[in-house]
Amino acid sequence: MTQEFRLAEGGRIDRGRTLSFHFDGRRYEGHPGDTLASALLANGVRLVGRSFKFHRPRGIFSAGSEEPSALVQMGDEPNRRATEIALYHGLVATAQHAWPTVRFDAGAAAGGIAPLLPAGFYYKMFIRPQAAWQRLWEPLLRRMAGLGRAPREPDRARYDKTHTHCDVLVVGSGPAGLGAALAAGCSGARVILAETDGELGGSLLRRPGEIEPGWLAAAEAELATLADTRVLNDTAVFGRYDGNYLMAVERGARQLLWHIRARRVVLASGAIERPLVFPGNDRPGVMLAGAVESYVNRFAVTPGRRAVLFTNNDDAYHAAAALKAAGVEVAAIVDLRAEPGLAARALADGIALYLGHAVIVTTGRRGLRRVTIRPLAGGKTTQIACDLLAVSGGRNPAVHLFAHTKGRLRYDESLAAFVPDAADAGLEPVGAARGSFGLAACLAEGAEAGARAAAACGFPAVEIALPEIAANAEAPPQALWLIPGDHGRNSFVDLHNDVTAADIALAAQEGFTTIEHVKRWTTLGMGTDQGKTGNVAGLALLSQTLGRAIAETGTTTFRPPYVPVGFGLLAGRERGELFDPVRMSPMHDWHVAAGAVFEDVGQWKRPRYYPRPGESMKQAVRRECLAARDGVTLFDASSLGKIEVSGPDAARFLDRMYINRWQTLDIGRCRYGVMCREDGMVFDDGVGTRLGPDRFLVTTTTGNAGAVLDWFEEWLQTEWSELDVFCTSLTEQWANATLAGPAARGVLAALAPGLDLAAFPFMSMREAEIAGIPARIFRIGFAGELSYEINVPASAGLDLWRQLIAAGEPHGIIPYGTEAMHVLRAEKGYVVVGQETDGSVTPLDLGFAVKDADFLGRRSLSRPDTARADRKQLVGLLPDDPNMVLAEGAQIVAAPRSTTMVGHVTSSYFGARIGRGFALALVQGGRARHGEAVWAWHAGRAVAARICSPVFYDPEGLRRDG
């Protein structure tokens, strides 16, 4: 198609190149500098989609991120705003939310029954029967009301993130933003200027004649010469968080997520034009006046052939003047006010002016054909044929980033808008963002704020030359939130979600009197546009219905992101295999070659079991358990957390963190330790070893290594800063190969002839060479057998493992995995934090003794709740059926028909050595109930079991100590 609505000259597009693109299966042409929206308008495309709820025809309404209607599908990405998509050759987009086509949409029948579908109708109509909602109504409504098609395939695009710091961040590059960036940049401060658009200039792009020719280009050139000033085009700052931490999305060939820490922020985000609420205000051809001005002056596009302007303010008259200058017939200006300002009257010269009038209805099937106007005081109506209605209800300062960190707003009656109120030391709104709409004021405020921000960062104040701007006094706008006499059924407040004025009134009638409740009942402002054009009108209508001031109603809560941000961008490269770091022990390749089946434990890949050909997991685990009990096995424990705690106060510090004593521990000796949170609940456990007078090595559970280190540092840095202690993570610096079984001593003796194994008692540590590798050997273990945990530098881990396997071959050595480890430790009654504990279990519940000296959480153990006798306590559980393996998590009751739970199963296995199923459990008052019969609910039936000691194997510890 030819670009029949493209002006022959003007605009900021590159007419020297032609770009071909497709929309809804048809080919069109545009130019570099176009957006998809401007290119569609240039080709005469007015109908671009259907509305969310009623499937009403919708067209292009605005020219920026506030667009509520022109949402398109690009590939597998739904809800892209045509106004924000930079045109490129080969672009393919389709209309969404219509079937079979956007022109002939079967869903449009919903508009015929709109009175039966008010706000919240689905809450009332489809409650019962519940099965019908789940099987019929919910899928149907989702299909009818959905927006676009969610992608089914993985996102193949690549995204990146970057972190940066600056002295001054300027958000927005309109006249206020340019003034701020120049003033701050010339002072020598590190400045970032972020602009959502692909070009700098903001409002100057839609109204270029307002400032002296060449100033914008000169300002851009000067910014480029400033060494410490960075200009980010196509970059939307979408969130502000504590400490002036902001996030932004840079759109381009590859999207980039910016994390910015700024000392000062100048908010020059401009203002958002709001529409007027009247019947038929959503029809294709109804557009914001500022958007019309942009399409004419910036994109050289006439959005219609015969236009009407409907407004309540002077600024919108510029749109009528731009249309007239472009050769478009402006049939009328309809102004709600009795009298516009002198400058506005001058702009309206030669155009029919209807003062004190309002548009009361629009007509047209798939696009605007005419409007009907009437005096506000009532009287004769007038019909005006037109295909474009430019509307303007005033402007709302874009205060979102200011409000993200609880910046207070106040309602300004003269502007009929909310503006920033309380000062924010880290952020200063300027220009239209604070309600100053005059060009001269914007430039001056921006320059002054930029200089102040730089000075606050320690840079000298610099005055910059600003162009002379003649100040024009504007007549104040007239806020009229709903046309008198209109029932509001087809008067749309939120075009994105099809929320009407009648919906707001109904919500108030049904008792929803706060704007937050009305938002959720009607979905006002809950779309991807976050109500940028509709929210203020919605809360004003609520206030009007309830008979109270708008300031009393207040606003909804502003939350990031200000513009939609893709999940792929937030994830960046951290997805798939990179979503979470995969950590592997130095012996991983050996485990793979041995056919190990792995499980994820925290971030670690740990061998779960080593099946032989034709062997099931159950058979493999039984074989591995018996080898540990009768011969010798090798276990990879490299993933255990390892933290070296050193310094003159190391022992005192550990005494405060653990329920056990550490100052009395001898050098070379080990001690099992448990630590609690402040509430007395078990946080983690492990074995600590004293390496020297001021050095300890403590181990943690695999999944809690990072959390324990963080816990240590939190207390050292925030509570006990007087302690001279250093904590160093050594988890990945040491590999751990654990020999376990009666023959373990023989295997170790073959590789470490210089180690006196006869004088190596349980819970002690020795340093020696094993097969020529320097090692720390710990005489501890989790299997309940004779065990040696051999720690060597990670680089030597695989070599050590292979030599241990070779030395153990005469003894029948085999590796065992985490599943056998769990069976072995459970037979001994050893607990696993996170399995026997769930954040509500104390050391006393597990049967541990605690020292009488102070430690973190000790006072909480004396509370009535944690000291009561009927708390759940660790016990053993033996099903009456020895072959039964109870389900972990199974509820335990005192009688087979009881519904009162007295405990639950925490671990459950089939013991290879004890030859039967057994379990560990937490049972109310369990230690006093040994021998008592209980029932565990397993697979829908009550299974009889008997409470016993949690130690099922070698209760005296003779084999462990041997």
Side-chain angles (χ1 to χ4, degrees):
M1 291 182 66
T2 60
Q3 300 179 55
E4 55 182 316
F5 288 84
R6 180 78 73 183
L7 295 174
E9 57 184 21
R12 300 178 66 87
I13 57 172
D14 180 3
R15 298 174 187 271
R17 294 171 55 205
T18 298
L19 305 176
S20 174
F21 70 100
H22 285 78
F23 178 72
D24 246 16
R26 302 188 69 178
R27 180 182 174 277
Y28 302 98
E29 291 182 349
H31 299 288
D34 267 324
T35 62
L36 175 59
S38 67
L40 289 174
L41 289 171
N43 286 276
V45 179
R46 298 294 183 270
L47 178 62
V48 297
R50 293 282 176 163
S51 73
F52 171 76
K53 185 175 176 182
F54 300 129
H55 287 247
R56 290 171 65 92
R58 289 287 166 83
I60 295 162
F61 187 70
S62 74
S65 64
E66 70 273 20
E67 175 59 45
S69 297
L71 307 179
V72 301
Q73 182 100 19
M74 290 187 65
D76 61 359
E77 189 175 0
N79 299 319
R80 290 289 305 275
R81 284 174 171 72
T83 54
E84 292 188 300
I85 301 170
L87 193 69
Y88 58 85
H89 189 74
L91 182 151
V92 177
T94 57
Q96 61 182 36
H97 198 40
W99 184 87
T101 69
V102 70
R103 291 181 61 82
F104 302 98
D105 178 25
I113 58 171
L116 302 177
L117 306 174
F121 74 94
Y122 34 81
Y123 295 124
K124 301 177 179 180
M125 294 179 64
F126 305 115
I127 292 178
R128 294 183 179 82
Q130 189 174 4
W133 166 255
Q134 295 173 337
R135 298 174 185 174
L136 174 62
W137 297 119
E138 184 181 21
L140 178 62
L141 288 173
R142 285 186 179 276
R143 184 177 180 85
M144 286 288 292
L147 285 173
R149 301 183 307 276
R152 295 180 178 274
E153 300 298 324
D155 187 356
R156 302 297 181 188
R158 292 179 64 184
Y159 306 94
D160 282 305
K161 303 177 183 178
T162 188
H163 296 254
T164 190
H165 294 75
C166 64
D167 297 310
V168 181
L169 170 65
V170 181
V171 181
S173 72
L178 289 172
L182 287 169
C186 289
S187 74
R190 296 172 303 162
V191 177
I192 293 177
L193 173 61
E195 169 54 53
T196 303
D197 206 315
E199 293 186 80
L200 302 185
S203 63
L204 299 178
L205 299 179
R206 66 178 170 88
R207 199 171 295 170
E210 199 171 21
I211 201 166
E212 64 184 42
W215 184 83
L216 176 58
E220 284 191 72
E222 185 172 357
L223 288 171
T225 65
L226 299 175
D228 289 323
T229 295
R230 173 186 286 165
V231 176
L232 300 177
N233 287 330
D234 278 324
T235 302
V237 180
F238 64 80
R240 180 177 182 239
Y241 309 87
D242 292 342
N244 256 5
Y245 166 59
L246 300 99
M247 295 181 69
V249 50
E250 181 180 354
R251 302 181 180 93
R254 179 180 298 171
Q255 291 191 37
L256 183 64
L257 185 67
W258 285 87
H259 298 257
I260 305 170
R261 184 74 72 174
R263 297 175 69 184
R264 290 292 187 274
V265 176
V266 177
L267 183 62
S269 50
I272 299 170
E273 193 168 25
R274 59 175 176 261
L276 292 164
V277 180
F278 58 92
N281 61 338
D282 67 326
R283 207 175 299 279
V286 179
M287 299 176 65
L288 292 173
V292 170
E293 192 180 356
S294 288
Y295 288 119
V296 172
N297 289 333
R298 179 179 177 184
F299 300 104
V301 169
T302 58
R305 299 192 187 280
R306 194 166 195 264
V308 171
L309 173 67
F310 180 28
T311 184
N312 70 350
N313 63 84
D314 283 0
D315 188 74
Y317 280 63
H318 287 277
L323 287 167
K324 183 179 177 181
V328 176
E329 180 185 357
V330 182
I333 295 177
V334 182
D335 197 328
L336 291 168
R337 301 170 299 172
E339 189 63 42
L342 293 178
R345 270 205 175 271
L347 291 170
D349 185 40
I351 303 174
L353 190 58
Y354 292 84
L355 299 176
H357 280 64
V359 174
I360 61 170
V361 70
T362 67
T363 56
R365 187 179 177 190
R366 297 191 187 96
L368 183 67
R369 291 292 175 264
R370 70 180 59 84
V371 299
T372 301
I373 67 174
R374 183 179 63 196
L376 289 174
K380 182 182 177 181
T381 62
T382 302
Q383 290 189 345
I384 304 173
C386 61
D387 60 354
L388 172 64
L389 176 61
V391 300
S392 177
R395 284 166 288 179
N396 297 320
V399 297
H400 300 68
L401 292 176
F402 176 82
H404 281 174
T405 50
K406 302 299 182 183
R408 293 205 304 273
L409 306 176
R410 62 177 176 84
Y411 185 71
D412 188 316
E413 293 285 353
S414 65
L415 299 176
F418 284 91
V419 297
D421 184 15
D424 185 324
L427 180 148
E428 182 177 356
V430 295
R434 69 183 296 266
S436 300
F437 298 128
L439 178 57
C442 288
L443 284 167
E445 286 182 10
E448 292 167 4
R452 277 194 297 271
C457 298
F459 295 89
V462 176
E463 287 191 16
I464 60 171
L466 297 175
E468 294 290 335
I469 305 294
N472 290 323
E474 291 187 355
Q478 177 180 329
L480 183 65
W481 303 109
L482 185 63
I483 303 304
D486 177 31
H487 56 71
R489 189 171 294 158
N490 289 323
S491 300
F492 287 88
V493 179
D494 183 337
L495 273 69
H496 190 288
N497 279 348
D498 274 359
V499 180
T500 66
D503 292 330
I504 305 294
L506 179 62
Q509 180 182 332
E510 295 192 347
F512 297 98
T513 58
T514 68
I515 190 61
E516 293 285 8
H517 291 161
V518 170
K519 171 183 176 178
R520 285 150 180 82
W521 182 253
T522 64
T523 69
L524 172 71
M526 293 180 65
T528 60
D529 67 332
Q530 291 196 339
K532 290 183 175 66
T533 58
N535 270 359
V536 172
L539 63 89
L541 287 171
L542 176 65
S543 302
Q544 183 175 295
T545 303
L546 297 174
R548 66 190 183 197
I550 294 176
E552 183 182 349
T553 298
T555 66
T556 54
T557 302
F558 293 82
R559 298 186 179 92
Y562 174 64
V563 295
V565 179
F567 287 116
L569 177 63
L570 294 176
R573 299 193 182 192
E574 295 150 17
R575 53 185 176 155
E577 292 184 353
L578 299 179
F579 173 70
D580 200 28
V582 176
R583 306 171 77 179
M584 297 172 289
S585 83
M587 293 81 98
H588 182 79
D589 290 344
W590 190 95
H591 301 317
V592 172
V597 175
F598 292 89
E599 68 171 339
D600 294 326
V601 182
Q603 296 172 334
W604 290 88
K605 293 287 185 183
R606 301 193 68 182
R608 189 178 186 189
Y609 61 99
Y610 300 82
R612 291 175 177 173
E615 198 174 42
S616 66
M617 184 179 87
K618 181 178 179 180
Q619 292 168 331
V621 171
R622 183 176 185 276
R623 173 176 52 79
E624 292 171 11
C625 288
L626 291 176
R629 296 291 185 223
D630 300 333
V632 63
T633 53
L634 192 57
F635 178 71
D636 186 352
S638 301
S639 64
L640 288 177
K642 309 171 194 72
I643 303 171
E644 184 172 297
V645 181
S646 60
D649 298 314
R652 290 176 58 204
F653 170 67
L654 293 177
D655 264 359
R656 296 182 185 184
M657 299 301 296
Y658 286 87
I659 69 171
N660 322 81
R661 294 184 183 276
W662 296 90
Q663 295 188 68
T664 59
L665 187 65
D666 293 332
I667 295 173
R669 299 294 293 185
C670 310
R671 179 163 291 162
Y672 174 71
V674 175
M675 70 179 74
C676 301
R677 301 194 309 257
E678 302 103 309
D679 59 2
M681 304 304 158
V682 172
F683 173 49
D684 200 66
D685 69 344
V687 174
T689 304
R690 193 163 198 164
L691 305 176
D694 299 334
R695 289 177 65 210
F696 292 81
L697 180 71
V698 297
T699 63
T700 74
T701 55
T702 293
N704 256 358
V708 171
L709 181 61
D710 180 71
W711 188 242
F712 283 178
E713 290 291 353
E714 179 177 341
W715 286 91
L716 284 172
Q717 294 182 34
T718 64
E719 301 297 332
W720 304 325
S721 58
E722 77 280 1
L723 296 182
D724 189 359
V725 177
F726 296 92
C727 298
T728 307
S729 174
L730 299 177
T731 300
E732 293 183 323
Q733 277 62 47
W734 292 88
N736 180 329
T738 300
L739 278 171
R745 185 177 286 116
V747 175
L748 185 57
L751 295 176
L755 180 62
D756 186 358
L757 295 176
F760 194 173
F762 181 62
M763 296 301 281
S764 62
M765 183 274 295
R766 298 287 186 270
E767 293 187 348
E769 283 193 357
I770 299 181
I773 303 170
R776 287 177 179 163
I777 306 99
F778 300 83
R779 178 74 162 75
I780 54 178
F782 208 36
E785 299 289 341
L786 174 65
S787 299
Y788 299 94
E789 290 192 5
I790 307 169
N791 283 245
V792 298
S795 59
L798 181 58
D799 183 24
L800 172 71
W801 184 273
R802 287 171 172 162
Q803 297 213 46
L804 288 170
I805 289 291
E809 283 182 358
H811 303 275
I813 193 171
I814 64 168
Y816 75 96
T818 56
E819 194 67 25
M821 177 268 291
H822 277 295
V823 177
L824 297 171
R825 66 90 190 168
E827 287 181 332
K828 286 289 296 179
Y830 296 155
V831 302
V832 169
V833 172
Q835 191 154 340
E836 271 65 54
T837 68
D838 59 2
S840 66
V841 178
T842 72
L844 302 176
D845 299 335
L846 298 176
F848 296 137
V850 301
K851 64 190 177 192
D852 54 9
D854 200 14
F855 60 86
L856 194 60
R858 182 175 185 270
R859 283 178 293 175
S860 295
L861 297 180
S862 62
R863 291 183 297 125
D865 179 68
T866 51
R868 56 188 171 86
D870 64 341
R871 284 184 61 83
K872 290 183 181 179
Q873 298 168 343
L874 184 69
V875 297
L877 210 59
L878 290 173
D880 287 358
D881 179 357
N883 295 313
M884 171 63 66
V885 177
L886 298 171
E888 292 182 349
Q891 296 185 5
I892 298 171
V893 294
R897 297 183 182 278
S898 174
T899 58
T900 302
M901 187 179 76
V902 298
H904 67 279
V905 175
T906 61
S907 298
S908 182
Y909 308 99
F910 187 90
R913 170 57 65 226
I914 64 176
R916 60 164 298 131
F918 71 101
L920 297 177
L922 289 169
V923 176
Q924 291 177 359
R927 283 195 289 274
R929 301 173 71 167
H930 287 191
E932 183 178 322
V934 291
W935 282 259
W937 281 95
H938 175 90
R941 64 188 182 94
V943 175
R946 194 163 297 277
I947 297 174
C948 63
S949 165
V951 183
F952 300 91
Y953 175 78
D954 186 28
E956 296 83 11
L958 299 178
R959 297 177 64 87
R960 176 199 66 192
D961 297 340

